[in-house]
Amino acid sequence: VSSRESDPGSATASAERAASEYRTIFDARGGRYNHANRLFPDARAEEGDRLLAHLSLPDRVRWLDVGAGGGFLVERAAAAGRRGEPVACDASALFLSEARGYALRTAGDYECLPFPDGAFGAAGCLAVIHHAEDPERVVSEMLRVTAPGGRAAVGDVAAGSRAERFLNGFVDAHTEEGHAGRFRGAPEAGELFARGGGRDVRTEAVRVFWRFGSSSDARFFFRELFGLRGDTEDADLDAAIDWLGLFESADGCRLPWDMVFASALVGV
Ligand SMILES: C[S@@+](CC[C@H](N)C(=O)[O-])C[C@H]1O[C@@H](n2cnc3c(N)ncnc32)[C@H](O)[C@@H]1O
C-alpha cells in the first residue's frame, strides 16, 4: 500500500476520489450524453467550432482531445474538414468506447496525461474543466504535451451565467448523480494558461447559441445530454429551458449559452 493510498485525507487522495466519482458519473450517463450529441450534431456546433478556432490546427497535425467523451469535438473537426490525427483521452473508458474518428483512444486522467512532453501539435478540452479539482494542473499538463509552436485551449460554461445556474441548480436537482461544477470567467481561465507558462494567452467570453429544429427537440436533447431522471416533469424542464432563453428563429430554435474560451501558445 503506497503512502498516497494510506492517507485518505491528503490532497492527492481527495483528487483521486473526485476523479473516480466523476468517472462513475460519466460511466453511468455517457451513453445518453453521446446519444444526444449524435441525434442533434448541430446543437452544440458553435462551441465546438470556437474551441477549434483557438487551436488553429495545421493540416495533418496530431492533436489531443482531453476529456473527449463520446467524440463530439472530433466530429466537429471532421465536419470542418480537419484531416489531422486526433487522439482522445478520457477518464471513462466506457464513455470513450463509443467515440469514433480518433486515431487512438486512451483512458487516462487529465491531471496526469499519459503522454510524453511535446507529443502533440495541439491540445483541446471542451466542457470538462469545471469538474477538475486542480484546473491549473490540467492546463499545465495540456501545455506539457503540446509541442513548441502549438496551442492548447479550453472552453467551458461562464461563471455567473444562467447556464452555470442551470447546471448547478436544475441538473443538480434532477439527476441521480447531481452536478457541482466550478466555473470561471475569462480572466481566471487566462490565468491558468499564464501560470502554466503559456505565451500569447487569448481569452474570450462569448454567447454561443445551441440550435434545435423545435422546442420539443430541445427538451429531448436536454433530457438525454444531462441524463435527467425519468420523474422530471416536461413542464418543469420546459420552464427551465424558457428561463435559459430559448427563442424561435428563422430556421428553428436557438438557446443562448454563455461560455469562456482560453488558449495559449507553447513557446519555442
Ligand atoms: C461534459 S463531458 C464533455 C465531453 C466532450 N468534451 C464534449 O464536449 O462533448 C466531460 C468529460 O470529461 C471526462 N472527465 C471527467 N473527469 C476526467 C478526468 N479526471 N480525466 C479525464 N477526463 C475526465 C468525462 O469522463 C467526460 O467524458
Side-chain angles (χ1 to χ4, degrees):
V1 175
S2 75
S3 57
R4 259 177 20 179
E5 284 164 338
S6 63
D7 178 7
S10 72
T12 311
S14 116
E16 282 170 356
R17 209 162 38 242
S20 129
E21 278 163 16
Y22 198 38
R23 189 163 53 243
T24 309
I25 290 176
F26 277 97
D27 280 352
R29 70 166 242 234
R32 289 180 71 190
Y33 186 95
N34 293 344
H35 183 55
N37 280 322
R38 294 250 158 75
L39 272 181
F40 302 100
D42 294 331
R44 299 174 55 220
E46 242 185 89
E47 66 186 70
D49 295 348
R50 286 263 172 186
L51 189 83
L52 292 167
H54 271 260
L55 291 180
S56 12
L57 296 173
D59 271 350
R60 287 192 286 281
V61 70
R62 183 176 165 87
W63 62 281
L64 179 66
D65 184 0
V66 176
F72 169 71
L73 192 60
V74 84
E75 282 166 24
R76 282 315 304 161
R82 302 269 173 210
R83 305 241 176 272
E85 200 186 314
V87 172
C89 181
D90 199 286
S92 166
L94 256 161
F95 201 142
L96 206 51
S97 67
E98 296 185 17
R100 297 183 288 250
Y102 293 100
L104 178 71
R105 290 172 293 174
T106 326
D109 195 296
Y110 46 33
E111 290 192 12
C112 187
L113 292 172
F115 307 104
D117 296 358
F120 301 97
C125 178
L126 181 63
V128 170
I129 206 163
H130 60 270
H131 275 293
E133 280 281 300
D134 185 352
E136 199 169 327
R137 173 101 187 258
V138 178
V139 167
S140 77
E141 276 292 274
M142 290 174 67
L143 291 166
R144 177 185 67 76
V145 301
T146 302
R151 292 191 77 83
V154 301
D156 211 339
V157 158
S161 64
R162 286 201 172 203
E164 174 187 31
R165 285 162 65 192
F166 171 79
L167 291 170
N168 287 347
F170 191 90
V171 173
D172 185 46
H174 291 271
T175 52
E176 297 300 342
E177 305 84 7
H179 195 283
R182 272 164 302 174
F183 299 92
R184 3 198 105 67
E188 209 189 330
E191 280 286 302
L192 297 174
F193 284 88
R195 282 201 295 270
R199 310 247 181 100
D200 182 32
V201 175
R202 294 182 197 159
T203 61
E204 59 175 343
V206 60
R207 172 162 292 179
V208 298
F209 292 90
W210 285 6
R211 289 188 250 153
F212 305 101
S214 66
S215 57
S216 60
D217 283 358
R219 184 200 292 150
F220 187 83
F221 181 82
F222 269 69
R223 269 194 188 281
E224 294 305 288
L225 191 81
F226 298 118
L228 302 182
R229 281 198 318 264
D231 64 3
T232 305
E233 300 283 349
D234 277 348
D236 293 337
L237 179 54
D238 288 347
I241 291 174
D242 277 350
W243 176 80
L244 280 167
L246 187 80
F247 65 93
E248 299 273 347
S249 65
D251 57 349
C253 294
R254 297 273 185 279
L255 182 123
W257 195 252
D258 291 339
M259 294 191 70
V260 161
F261 294 85
S263 66
L265 179 74
V266 173
V268 189

